[in-house]
Every structure is written in structure tokens, then in C-alpha cells.
């Protein structure tokens, strides 16, 4: 259907595993997302990988060849910038929602980042390497505790170095 084709091409901006919540943000239709994802899985356009652990969300993935086809369709529809911007707004909102340290919500937030981490990396790549901007630096700054607690310090160092270069005013947002 037309809705399935639109979803197929828009999901191409998600480079790895992703949750239904992220898909809804990229698709721009939170109400019909679950049904669309189920139909795309049924048509073998997506793979459902189930939850990545106890009390985690189901994740989906496009196979590389399917994603490549979808990306070409996205370019043909002239939607690339708009859909990438949706992805970046979602990532910014997720990282900005970091709860205070030591709260029960903090563990849940780390799991949300884990479930959609390929997209977080893709956002950082776009906003710190491809099109450096302040927002990329802010996102990286918000992820510092995540990287520390997930023992990704080498990766953190790389992103934070890039974010320092991207932050024009040099002042990170308040933690």
C-alpha cells in the first residue's frame, strides 16, 4: 500500500535495530505505527528481532539490501532532509530526557539508548562530522554518563572531541 511504501522508504534512515517508538517519530504517525511495522514484517521488508532483554522493547531491523532500496526511494521522493531531521529531533529529545543520576528511571533511560543506539550514532555522525552543529555537541554532552556506565570511554572520547569542535560557543548545556 502507499502507507507501507512510505514507511519502507522513511525507515531507511535507521541504520540498525530500532524500536517502534523511534519508527513512529520517523514516520510521523504514532497511531498506525505498530500496524505498519507488523505489515512490513509480514512482507519481509523488516525483521522483528524481539526484545533485547528482560523488560525491554521489541526491536526491528531492515536488511542492508532492503534499506538500500528504501534509501533510493527516499531520495526519489525528495524526503531525505525532512526524515533525517525527524530522526535528529527524536535523538535530541531522547538524550535531553536523561533523568537525574541515581534514580530508577536512569536504568530505563540507558536501556532506551541501547535499543536505538545505531540511530544515536548515525545522528552523531551527521551532526558532528557531516554537518557539524551545536546540537550535535549537546547530544554528545548528554550521553557522557551513558558512555561511562556502558564502558564506552574510547568511543566517548572520540565523540566528545568532535563535539568540542562543533560547539561554537564552547558552553555545554546544563546537566
Amino acid at each position: 500500500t502507499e502507507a507501507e511504501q512510505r514507511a519502507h522508504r522513511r525507515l531507511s534512515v535507521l541504520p540498525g535495530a530500532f524500536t517502534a517508538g523511534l519508527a513512529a517519530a520517523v514516520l510521523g504517525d504514532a497511531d498506525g505505527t505498530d500496524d505498519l511495522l507488523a505489515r512490513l514484517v509480514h512482507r519481509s521488508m523488516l525483521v522483528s528481532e524481539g526484545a533485547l532483554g528482560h523488560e525491554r522493547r521489541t526491536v526491528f531491523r531492515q536488511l542492508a539490501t532492503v534499506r538500500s532500496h528504501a534509501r533510493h526511494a527516499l531520495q526519489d521522493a525528495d524526503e531525505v532532509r525532512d526524515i533525517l531531521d525527524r530522526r535528529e529531533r527524536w535523538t535530541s529529545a531522547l538524550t535531553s530526557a536523561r533523568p537525574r543520576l541515581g534514580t530508577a528511571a536512569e536504568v530505563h533511560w540507558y536501556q532506551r539508548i541501547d535499543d536505538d543506539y545505531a540511530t544515536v550514532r548515525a545522528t552523531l555522525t551527521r551532526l558532528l562530522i557531516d554537518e557539524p552543529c551545536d546540537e550535535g555537541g549537546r547530544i554528545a554532552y548528554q550521553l557522557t554518563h551513558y558512555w561511562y556506565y556502558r564502558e564506552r570511554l574510547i568511543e566517548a572520547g572520540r565523540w566528545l572531541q568532535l563535539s568540542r569542535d562543533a560547539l561554537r560557543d564552547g558552553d555545554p548545556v546544563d546537566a
Side-chain angles (χ1 to χ4, degrees):
T1 67
E2 186 175 324
E4 291 168 347
Q5 291 174 20
R6 185 173 45 253
H8 166 67
R9 68 178 180 259
R10 289 180 176 179
L11 292 173
S12 70
V13 302
L14 308 178
F18 59 89
T19 59
L22 173 52
V26 168
L27 297 176
D29 179 21
D31 294 333
T33 299
D34 290 338
D35 183 51
L36 272 174
L37 293 176
R39 292 187 341 230
L40 290 174
V41 167
H42 178 73
R43 296 184 190 284
S44 299
M45 303 302 281
L46 286 179
V47 175
S48 173
E49 295 186 347
L52 298 177
H54 181 65
E55 294 185 16
R56 301 281 290 277
R57 298 171 183 181
T58 298
V59 294
F60 301 88
R61 179 184 311 268
Q62 279 183 322
L63 297 175
T65 53
V66 173
R67 188 172 50 254
S68 177
H69 174 269
R71 188 62 182 238
H72 288 310
L74 187 69
Q75 290 170 340
D76 291 344
D78 197 28
E79 293 182 311
V80 174
R81 181 155 296 278
D82 179 49
I83 303 305
L84 286 174
D85 289 346
R86 288 182 191 187
R87 180 186 75 184
E88 278 43 309
R89 284 191 299 271
W90 178 89
T91 304
S92 181
L94 175 64
T95 58
S96 296
R98 180 177 54 87
R100 289 185 20 202
L101 289 174
T103 63
E106 184 183 23
V107 173
H108 177 69
W109 183 77
Y110 291 148
Q111 290 173 341
R112 289 184 62 205
I113 299 284
D114 287 339
D115 290 344
D116 293 303
Y117 195 61
T119 295
V120 171
R121 276 186 176 144
T123 296
L124 288 170
T125 299
R126 180 179 181 214
L127 299 182
L128 293 176
I129 297 172
D130 299 339
E131 302 171 24
C133 66
D134 290 353
E135 188 58 27
R138 287 185 188 91
I139 290 170
Y141 178 77
Q142 292 292 338
L143 289 167
T144 55
H145 289 110
Y146 170 82
W147 286 320
Y148 177 79
Y149 286 109
R150 291 299 194 239
E151 300 178 356
R152 296 179 177 192
L153 298 179
I154 294 172
E155 180 178 6
R158 178 177 158 249
W159 291 122
L160 292 172
Q161 175 67 42
L162 289 166
S163 69
R164 188 178 70 187
D165 298 340
L167 282 171
R168 296 190 229 327
D169 59 1
D171 296 328
V173 291
D174 294 317

